[in-house]
Amino acid sequence: MKIRVCSLLLLALASGAIAQVNPKLQAKLEQQARQLEPSVITWRRHLHQYPELSNREIKTAAYVAEHLRKLGLEVQTGIAHTGVVALLRTGKPGPVIALRADMDALPVTERNSLPFASKEKAIFNDQETGVMHACGHDSHVAILMAVAEILSKNKNDLKGTIKFVFQPAEEGPPKGEEGGADLMVREGVLDNPKVEVIFGLHIQGIRKLGQIAYKPAGMMAASDWFTIKVKGKQSHGAAPWLGIDPIVVSAQIINGIQTIVSRQTQLTKEPAVISVGMINAGVRQNIIPETAEMSGTIRTFDPAMQQDIHERLKRTATLIAESAGATAEVTIDRKTPVTFNDPALTEKMVASLVKAAGEENVARIPADTGAEDFAYYQQKIPGFFFFVGACPPDTDPAKAPSHHTPDFMMDERGMLTGLRAMLNVTVDYMYHKTE
């Protein structure tokens, strides 16, 4: 026991965190988090059963806003279409801290026997689809609802102002629309009052239950989407020499752009990924079409590498097409910046995570090639984003269903860890800045 106490003390000192929170307040927050856990589960199950797609979170927003109003908070709705923002003013000098949860679900048809499984349907890209919280955003909302309730109850023991940000469209707005964190920022969510720091988390069904993971600096990748339109010459499938086959050219381009990562990118500096996710061409088996189109994603962690890969992708596709007598038009859409955890802030907050999960359950991890639009907030102010494990104990995390799939599953006990972590980083930062 002495060894464990000493190690925790050393961690706190090394991280720069200052343990100034009143022990009675700390104990009260812990007790209230445990008492509220059944409500968190109830809220999450309701949200899971009635999911809504990006920029369509109308019922979700109303559910959240009603809860926040009951707490006596100042509530604004309709930000970035369906976003909800609430303020807790303590009346005492201190920092303005923002806490963010994303609200949207995915166009995925749920495949399990949960009594609260989603049966919702919607139109996405002109096709009917099921709708599912296949990435855990329902749990993020429920956790932040609980954080708001607990901090509101303890207002007299707090300092500064807390801004609760319930954000739509983290998965990306529908085609032709704006949304997500980018639009929230542009509509002033970090102003009035001006936010000093922001915290966020993400539940992971592929991480050990109760584990918290983090990384300073670039934690999640920048995400860019690309489209390559190849134009050849149509001909009969029996006589390909009379045309220019855009499907064969597309296959050569797909193989060629993989060498950008494997042979042309300094992967010892930062990782990078290029993946083709869609390819469309042709209408009949015996007709070589005139055009083919492919789309995919680029993931990078370094701005210079990002720009270099963009240029190489355009050059590779264009020249391969030209070598066959075809043409290739390449467009790249910069979607999401790098999720960049401010190193000094991250260092200070590690001890807060340890209080929530225990030293043995807090891990520094390598970069994650997923993307997260929390990055837009971090471009404006220091921010800290971390993962919370929720893989069922009887499942090997390496074999657990991935996020964004019909079989995605999470252990709801992970939400208590997330709740405790968000309370700790908020209150610890508040006291660190005021004492």
Side-chain angles (χ1 to χ4, degrees):
M1 180 61 72
K2 288 182 180 178
I3 294 175
R4 176 162 177 76
V5 171
C6 288
S7 63
L8 286 173
L9 178 59
L10 288 171
L11 177 61
L13 291 172
S15 69
I18 302 174
Q20 296 167 317
V21 178
N22 186 309
K24 290 184 179 179
L25 174 59
Q26 186 73 49
K28 186 163 58 169
L29 295 175
E30 173 70 24
Q31 180 184 22
Q32 290 175 357
R34 292 186 178 279
Q35 291 173 341
L36 201 57
E37 184 181 16
S39 295
V40 178
I41 292 172
T42 298
W43 299 333
R44 182 259 167 172
R45 291 184 178 183
H46 170 85
L47 294 164
H48 189 89
Q49 191 168 2
Y50 303 105
E52 296 172 295
L53 294 177
S54 301
N55 278 2
R56 305 292 184 269
E57 307 93 337
I58 298 170
K59 294 179 181 178
T60 302
Y63 187 77
V64 169
E66 180 184 12
H67 175 75
L68 299 173
R69 289 191 182 103
K70 287 180 180 178
L71 300 177
L73 301 177
E74 302 174 31
V75 179
Q76 289 181 287
T77 59
I79 302 172
H81 302 299
T82 56
V84 181
V85 175
L87 280 180
L88 172 60
R89 301 182 191 268
T90 68
K92 302 172 188 174
V96 180
I97 302 170
L99 309 176
R100 175 270 207 168
D102 38 11
M103 302 190 296
D104 54 330
L106 287 157
V108 174
T109 301
E110 188 157 9
R111 186 168 56 201
N112 60 54
S113 57
L114 291 173
F116 52 92
S118 168
K119 301 295 190 295
E120 297 295 302
K121 302 286 185 182
I123 301 298
F124 181 79
N125 284 346
D126 302 321
Q127 297 182 34
E128 185 177 72
T129 178
V131 183
M132 177 188 175
H133 272 295
C135 200
H137 294 188
D138 49 349
S139 66
H140 305 167
V141 174
I143 288 169
L144 193 55
M145 289 170 65
V147 172
E149 181 165 330
I150 292 172
L151 293 181
S152 296
K153 288 179 180 177
N154 294 279
K155 175 180 175 180
N156 292 337
D157 295 317
L158 306 179
K159 305 173 183 182
T161 301
I162 303 163
K163 184 175 285 191
F164 303 98
V165 178
F166 292 85
Q167 177 208 306
E170 189 280 327
E171 300 291 355
K175 187 183 301 183
E177 297 182 22
E178 295 182 304
D182 180 31
L183 187 57
M184 293 285 276
V185 170
R186 285 188 279 127
E187 292 193 1
V189 74
L190 299 180
D191 303 315
N192 301 318
K194 187 172 180 58
V195 176
E196 177 177 312
V197 68
I198 187 166
F199 298 111
L201 59 73
H202 203 301
I203 284 284
Q204 284 195 317
I206 54 175
R207 185 171 299 281
K208 178 184 174 183
L209 177 66
Q211 185 183 78
I212 299 179
Y214 73 96
K215 181 185 179 298
M219 179 168 171
M220 299 182 73
S223 171
D224 303 318
W225 292 1
F226 67 87
T227 299
I228 303 174
K229 297 179 180 179
V230 179
K231 185 175 181 180
K233 182 181 177 182
Q234 190 161 319
S235 68
H236 196 295
W241 53 86
L242 297 177
I244 299 172
D245 191 338
I247 295 177
V248 171
V249 173
S250 295
Q252 293 171 335
I253 289 174
I254 291 170
N255 286 334
I257 62 179
Q258 292 309 309
T259 67
I260 295 172
V261 172
S262 66
R263 289 296 180 267
Q264 303 173 48
T265 301
Q266 186 181 347
L267 298 179
T268 55
K269 181 179 180 182
E270 291 285 1
V273 174
I274 302 176
S275 294
V276 175
M278 297 193 308
I279 182 165
N280 296 290
V283 295
R284 184 179 169 93
Q285 291 89 334
N286 65 344
I287 299 174
I288 293 174
E290 184 175 87
T291 62
E293 181 175 309
M294 70 188 81
S295 299
T297 187
I298 304 166
R299 303 299 169 104
T300 53
F301 291 86
D302 178 83
M305 291 175 66
Q306 179 185 37
Q307 184 61 36
D308 182 65
I309 288 173
H310 287 189
E311 293 172 1
R312 291 178 185 275
L313 178 70
K314 292 176 182 178
R315 182 168 64 246
T316 300
T318 300
L319 295 181
I320 287 176
E322 288 180 1
S323 71
T327 61
E329 177 186 334
V330 182
T331 57
I332 299 175
D333 183 11
R334 293 176 182 258
K335 301 295 287 187
T336 308
V338 174
T339 305
F340 188 87
N341 281 334
D342 180 89
L345 176 64
T346 302
E347 187 179 5
K348 288 181 172 65
M349 293 294 101
V350 172
S352 302
L353 303 183
V354 168
K355 285 195 293 183
E359 185 179 0
E360 69 281 3
N361 288 317
V362 176
R364 176 169 171 160
I365 58 171
D368 188 308
T369 51
E372 166 59 67
D373 79 351
F374 188 82
Y376 283 104
Y377 305 116
Q378 294 173 311
Q379 286 190 322
K380 302 296 183 181
I381 59 173
F384 180 45
F385 192 79
F386 54 91
F387 295 138
V388 177
C391 180
D394 59 352
T395 302
D396 180 353
K399 298 178 181 179
S402 172
H403 291 235
H404 289 220
T405 66
D407 302 304
F408 171 75
M409 188 71 66
M410 58 162 283
D411 191 313
E412 292 174 322
R413 288 175 292 180
M415 293 191 293
L416 178 59
T417 303
L419 172 56
R420 296 168 67 190
M422 286 295 273
L423 289 170
N424 284 342
V425 295
T426 304
V427 177
D428 287 351
Y429 183 86
M430 181 185 298
Y431 274 77
H432 171 69
K433 291 293 291 186
T434 56
E435 292 189 4

